[in-house]
Amino acid sequence: MPLTKKCHSCHLVTLLFVFVKATPKCGITNETTEYHVTCTPTDNYNYNLQRGLVSDNNDTTKLTLRACRIGEVDFEAFENLYSLKYLDVSQNKISELKLGVLDGMSELNHLNLSHNLLTGFPLGLFDQMPKLNDLDLSGNKIRTLELGIFDTLVQLNWIDLSNNALNGKDLTPYVFDQSTRITYISYERNNMNGAPANLLHAFEDLRTLNLDRCLLRDVPEFIRASNLKTLRELILSTNQFKKIDDASTLIYLDNLNTLDLSDNIIETIDPNSIKPLKKLKVIILRRNKITTLPDTLFKDMKSLANIDLSHNQIESVPVNAFRGTSLKNLNLASNRFTYLTDNFCLELRNSGAMLTKFYFNQNPWQCGCLRNLLDEVKKFNIAYNGVMYDGKHPICVTTNEVFCKRHDTFNSLYTELYDRLVLGLKIY
Ligand SMILES: *[C@@H]1O[C@H](CO)[C@@H](O)[C@H](O)[C@H]1NC(C)=O
Ligand SMILES: *[C@@H]1O[C@H](CO)[C@@H](O)[C@H](O)[C@H]1NC(C)=O
Ligand SMILES: *[C@@H]1O[C@H](CO)[C@@H](O)[C@H](O)[C@H]1NC(C)=O
């Protein structure tokens, strides 16, 4: 009896092995100008991409092998695809691409290798695709970028290196020396500490730099580079900055449009450090630890239209900090102030800033002060977040004196009341 049982399971195992050989199913759509081959997996087992499935076709211009459970790619898997412009092999299990496997795709424009298990590339892998425009390498396990690997990619415009195992201190700034036309680069989710100061020196027209979640403790030195005058968008969110106080780090970013500093642990910002950003339109400081706003913080930053200071610990808001801007959207929600300057919106208007959207909910408001502000935003037709202002939720606190007391000496009285009565916190 036990013997037959054993045989039973043996049989099952051999069956499984047969299934491994099942190939993905490929279909063709004849789009007006594109001959698009799309393949989908036929079972749950990894597949070894061999010559014959998609290779040897001069008509194919687009090839999508997304999530096809490809484990290995044979040397000739992409042989004779001379017209190919677009290749997507993302979301597979590819850990290695052999030298020469991508050769012959001289028309290739778009290459998506994202979400595989690649750790690096043999030198020369990209040598025969001079027209490559975008290269997505995100979500792999790439540790190093060998000098020379991108040397033939002279038209490269867009590259995503996010979510890999790159280490700033091992990166060579010369790897992009021939790819000077890159306008977008993302190093998101790599450890960029210790990256060389001239990391970005090769770029002549960089527009977007993404350094989200790069474990950075300070704004990196490599941003202080005169060739970055072209930069429009700088993403520094979810790092570990405590303060922005170096007046020279951002000095070359005259054309920066958007600065994202959200989800750091910033306590202080020196106004002088952001003043070089003369064209800045959007600054995102959401979810930091800012307690005070210097009186001159954004003053006279003429292009600044969108400021997000929500989810900080700001205790008082000097209206002067915003004078001379073009402020339209201001988010001060989830902070720690109990009042705003009388006629806050009018004061801003008088100095050129016409608010159209203003969020100030979830602060320990004195009821009298909140009422004044609500009257004002309604008068000027400014959009606000009134979801909780339905008479059913506690949103502010008051003592017997219901008028607005605009002085910081009263703050702690109201914040304590608010924490206890509205937030329900126990105060010891
Ligand atoms: C796609 O279109 C081309 C040219 O219009 C034609 O020669 C070819 O047979 C078509 N292929 C399929 C699979 O429809
Ligand atoms: C495919 O294109 C290549 C390069 O242009 C050419 O040498 C080859 O003869 C073509 N093959 C067919 C079957 O048309
Ligand atoms: C590459 O593929 C991933 C996952 O399939 C997708 O999310 C991403 O947008 C693609 N990249 C580009 C540049 O199209």
Side-chain angles (χ1 to χ4, degrees):
M1 266 306 270
L3 226 126
T4 36
K5 240 190 182 161
K6 216 171 182 184
C7 247
H8 236 89
S9 50
C10 275
H11 208 73
L12 205 78
V13 170
T14 36
L15 252 173
L16 295 185
F17 270 102
V18 174
F19 274 119
V20 176
K21 292 213 154 74
T23 55
K25 217 172 80 194
C26 298
I28 297 161
T29 49
N30 232 357
E31 294 156 22
T32 40
T33 53
E34 278 164 344
Y35 191 82
H36 188 179
V37 176
T38 312
C39 303
T40 45
T42 46
D43 59 46
N44 283 333
Y45 303 98
N46 282 357
Y47 170 69
N48 176 357
L49 187 66
Q50 292 162 337
R51 185 168 187 169
L53 185 71
V54 295
S55 65
D56 303 286
N57 190 330
N58 274 3
D59 289 335
T60 309
T61 51
K62 247 179 124 173
L63 180 54
T64 304
L65 291 160
R66 189 181 276 199
C68 280
R69 301 191 163 267
I70 297 166
E72 277 177 48
V73 180
D74 274 10
F75 178 69
E76 294 182 317
F78 299 118
E79 201 70 6
N80 297 333
L81 292 172
Y82 294 103
S83 313
L84 202 63
K85 290 196 175 121
Y86 177 107
L87 175 59
D88 179 353
V89 286
S90 64
Q91 297 184 46
N92 285 291
K93 306 250 184 325
I94 303 166
S95 58
E96 192 199 356
L97 287 170
K98 296 181 187 77
L99 183 59
V101 69
L102 301 176
D103 283 2
M105 303 176 183
S106 56
E107 297 298 314
L108 201 68
N109 191 276
H110 172 103
L111 177 57
N112 194 340
L113 297 172
S114 72
H115 301 279
N116 277 288
L117 302 167
L118 297 162
T119 54
F121 310 103
L123 204 56
L125 182 73
F126 304 113
D127 273 8
Q128 295 193 19
M129 43 183 83
K131 295 187 181 165
L132 197 68
N133 195 77
D134 20 280
L135 178 57
D136 193 338
L137 299 173
S138 63
N140 280 284
K141 297 176 182 301
I142 302 166
R143 283 190 296 263
T144 51
L145 297 170
E146 211 177 321
L147 189 59
I149 186 69
F150 300 134
D151 271 5
T152 48
L153 304 182
V154 293
Q155 305 221 13
L156 198 63
N157 181 263
W158 191 99
I159 183 165
D160 191 346
L161 294 163
S162 63
N163 211 349
N164 273 291
L166 295 174
N167 224 317
K169 61 181 184 343
D170 303 329
L171 291 176
T172 160
Y174 310 109
V175 75
F176 290 115
D177 274 9
Q178 309 305 320
S179 314
T180 58
R181 296 194 197 169
I182 288 177
T183 62
Y184 174 101
I185 190 162
S186 175
Y187 291 102
E188 182 186 339
R189 289 174 194 252
N190 286 284
N191 183 349
M192 291 299 284
N193 276 302
N198 60 344
L199 181 72
L200 306 173
H201 80 116
F203 302 133
E204 288 168 6
D205 195 17
L206 192 65
R207 301 295 174 106
T208 301
L209 173 60
N210 188 345
L211 294 166
D212 177 66
R213 290 167 216 260
C214 285
L215 303 172
L216 296 165
R217 267 160 268 132
D218 293 298
V219 178
E221 193 66 15
F222 58 75
I223 284 169
R224 186 195 335 217
S226 59
N227 61 313
L228 296 188
K229 279 185 188 298
T230 56
L231 205 64
R232 300 295 197 272
E233 185 182 18
L234 176 58
I235 302 163
L236 290 166
S237 47
T238 330
N239 282 290
Q240 296 154 16
F241 308 144
K242 275 210 177 88
K243 46 189 196 256
I244 306 292
D245 64 345
D246 187 333
S248 72
T249 358
L250 305 176
I251 198 153
Y252 291 113
L253 308 183
D254 321 26
N255 288 302
L256 199 71
N257 225 293
T258 302
L259 176 60
D260 187 349
L261 286 162
S262 58
D263 294 280
N264 276 278
I265 45 173
I266 300 169
E267 288 164 16
T268 52
I269 304 175
D270 179 343
N272 294 324
S273 62
I274 55 170
K275 289 292 141 88
L277 310 176
K278 293 191 185 66
K279 302 240 174 91
L280 197 68
K281 283 202 179 102
V282 179
I283 188 164
I284 308 168
L285 287 157
R286 190 172 54 225
R287 284 190 294 270
N288 276 287
K289 303 215 176 301
I290 303 167
T291 52
T292 48
L293 296 178
D295 219 35
T296 55
L297 187 54
F298 304 115
K299 192 160 179 273
D300 295 329
M301 295 183 74
K302 292 192 177 55
S303 309
L304 200 54
N306 207 327
I307 302 177
D308 187 350
L309 284 161
S310 64
H311 300 272
N312 276 282
Q313 288 156 23
I314 301 164
E315 285 161 13
S316 79
V317 181
V319 70
N320 288 342
F322 306 100
R323 286 192 204 272
T325 65
S326 332
L327 198 56
K328 284 197 171 60
N329 300 332
L330 176 60
N331 192 344
L332 293 172
S334 289
N335 274 287
R336 298 292 291 164
F337 55 87
T338 76
Y339 70 94
L340 286 180
T341 315
D342 199 14
N343 297 318
F344 188 84
C345 303
L346 181 64
E347 288 287 330
L348 285 181
R349 282 190 163 223
N350 292 342
S351 51
M354 300 263 266
L355 286 179
T356 54
K357 197 155 107 188
F358 184 14
Y359 287 175
F360 42 78
N361 47 293
Q362 280 152 304
N363 276 287
W365 278 107
Q366 302 177 39
C367 290
C369 309
L370 179 59
R371 198 169 309 121
N372 289 166
L373 182 61
L374 284 171
D375 289 344
E376 211 193 2
V377 292
K378 282 175 191 156
K379 185 170 97 193
F380 290 128
N381 214 358
I382 298 167
Y384 62 98
N385 180 352
V387 176
M388 301 294 255
Y389 301 173
D390 57 0
K392 292 180 192 147
H393 297 89
I395 46 167
C396 59
V397 288
T398 185
T399 56
N400 290 334
E401 302 166 275
V402 291
F403 61 92
C404 179
K405 285 191 241 163
R406 293 191 169 84
H407 200 285
D408 286 346
T409 50
F410 299 110
N411 281 352
S412 60
L413 170 70
Y414 292 103
T415 53
E416 274 168 31
L417 267 177
Y418 183 88
D419 289 350
R420 188 152 45 86
L421 299 176
V422 177
L423 302 182
L425 299 178
K426 287 207 174 76
I427 308 292
Y428 296 99

